[in-house]
Amino acid sequence: MRGSPKVTIYTVADRAGVSISTVSLAINAPHRVSEQTRERVIAAAGALGYRTTSERRPVAGMRIAVAAPFTTYQTYLRRFAGMLLRARDTAIELAAHDLPSAASAKAPLLDALPARGGIDGLIVMGVPLGSAALRASRDAALPLVLVDVRRARPVGEDPPVVLLDDEAGGRLAGEHLRARGHHHVAYLGEPLLSRDYVAAGQLRMRGLSDHVRITPIVCELDADPTARLREVLSGSDAPTAIMANHDELAARAWHGLRAEGFSVPGDVAILGFDDGPLAQALDLTTVRQPFEESGRLALEMLIDAIAQPSRSIQRMELAPSLIVRTST
């Protein structure tokens, strides 16, 4: 009995109705082809079981792709550092792929990564996966772990995930601010373009609202929130405190308000989220995330998913902690 014919790039091109160069671009440079063409090629590759190489290395020598908006949010570098520490004494190779922020653009690379050869597992942080990317990873039988990604609508069985209890973080902030006499708080966040994604900021606001009244303020990525904050803080029923979705945004708000003559915490208290070097330098009250721990756990979950798929852990939720400094 003859075996099945080998699936090649030519087979995929014929199935998708494109040239072999288009197949290559869709997999290796996905931003250079249209979304419709990319989805057709990836769907064809998945249906045929095609990958540029189908060889799987043992766990000790495997190669893991890690995709995240590294250059937009430095906190993902801290998570990646946790993975590097976990992999340091092994032969595991980690390959980083930078993605656009979830607040700014789609990430076509995510659709294409599962079809690339030489990848034994994939970790995606901070960016929602569309149905095409999830389908591609399943078709390629590529183990996948998510970090800081909550899907609004499950597509089949969602992959393993490592999360922070963001709602608990919001409650910690709300309890602290209310205890300090703040009953009306401005929540400073960024826009979210994807409807497939439950933003951490939404959950933090929900937890915060258990204890205080909130005025949401949306600030464009990398924009200066000073003008909007000045408008809100000058009203007759002005918030007496600001909570920002992350420490960098809190720092921008603090800098702008100080230039406007506001004192912190005299006129307005400011609280951030993350607790990195910036928060420590500013003496900023913030909610701490265990970044390195989340990265380490994600890599361990992926290793388990590769070694024992039926017994792997599907969800880990880590607890935040409040770090009180002089800004409140």
Side-chain angles (χ1 to χ4, degrees):
M1 180 178 178
R2 291 184 178 181
S4 300
K6 182 179 179 181
V7 177
T8 69
I9 192 171
Y10 294 94
T11 318
V12 176
D14 184 63
R15 175 76 167 257
V18 298
S19 66
I20 59 170
S21 61
T22 300
V23 173
S24 179
L25 282 175
I27 294 173
N28 298 302
H31 59 283
R32 293 179 58 187
V33 299
S34 70
E35 182 176 2
Q36 183 180 12
T37 299
R38 184 175 66 249
E39 289 182 354
R40 192 163 73 248
V41 170
I42 298 302
L48 293 167
Y50 172 80
R51 291 181 67 192
T52 51
T53 176
S54 60
E55 293 181 2
R56 280 282 176 88
R57 291 180 290 282
V59 169
M62 65 187 176
R63 188 170 190 259
I64 304 300
V66 183
F70 290 113
T71 55
T72 304
Y73 299 109
Q74 298 297 304
T75 51
Y76 289 109
L77 292 173
R78 293 180 58 188
R79 288 186 170 98
F80 190 59
M83 298 177 200
L84 291 171
L85 288 171
R86 171 62 179 83
R88 185 167 56 187
D89 298 325
T90 72
I92 296 172
E93 179 184 347
L94 300 176
H97 298 267
D98 190 38
L99 300 175
S101 162
S104 60
K106 290 185 177 181
L109 176 65
L110 288 181
D111 293 344
L113 271 176
R116 290 186 179 179
I119 297 175
D120 300 289
L122 175 62
I123 297 174
V124 178
M125 302 191 287
V127 173
L129 271 71
S131 57
L134 283 172
R135 187 167 52 248
S137 68
R138 290 181 184 130
D139 289 343
L142 183 69
L144 167 68
V145 171
L146 305 179
V147 181
D148 192 29
V149 177
R150 288 179 173 86
R151 289 187 54 78
R153 296 179 296 275
V155 179
E157 183 182 350
D158 275 352
V161 62
V162 180
L163 298 167
L164 179 78
D165 190 342
D166 288 291
E167 192 165 345
R171 285 195 294 270
L172 287 174
E175 289 170 357
H176 171 71
L177 291 173
R178 189 174 180 86
R180 293 294 172 94
H182 302 286
H183 301 277
H184 185 187
V185 176
Y187 186 88
L188 188 58
E190 294 165 339
L192 184 73
L193 301 184
S194 174
R195 296 181 179 179
D196 294 330
Y197 183 56
V198 179
Q202 294 173 283
L203 299 174
R204 293 168 190 174
M205 281 197 295
R206 185 185 301 170
L208 183 67
S209 66
D210 288 345
H211 300 279
V212 298
R213 184 160 56 93
I214 297 175
T215 296
I217 301 174
V218 177
C219 176
E220 293 297 327
L221 196 64
D222 296 328
D224 184 354
T226 305
R228 179 72 179 115
L229 285 172
R230 182 176 60 240
E231 176 187 346
V232 169
L233 294 175
S234 62
S236 57
D237 184 25
T240 58
I242 298 166
M243 179 181 175
N245 191 40
H246 54 80
D247 291 340
E248 183 182 341
L249 200 51
R252 272 189 263 151
W254 192 341
H255 176 77
L257 290 174
R258 185 171 56 186
E260 294 285 327
F262 289 87
S263 68
V264 176
D267 295 322
V268 60
I270 296 182
L271 186 147
F273 209 104
D274 287 341
D275 194 37
L278 183 60
Q280 297 170 30
L282 292 174
D283 212 27
L284 175 71
T285 296
T286 189
V287 177
R288 174 179 290 169
Q289 294 201 55
F291 289 113
E292 290 79 7
E293 178 72 1
S294 67
R296 181 186 66 80
L297 284 171
L299 183 55
E300 289 184 352
M301 287 172 68
L302 186 62
I303 292 171
D304 288 345
I306 293 171
Q308 303 181 75
S310 62
R311 299 179 59 188
S312 60
I313 296 173
Q314 292 300 299
R315 181 185 176 97
M316 291 285 290
E317 192 164 53
L318 305 180
S321 56
L322 181 70
I323 306 300
V324 180
R325 299 191 178 100
T326 60
S327 67
T328 54

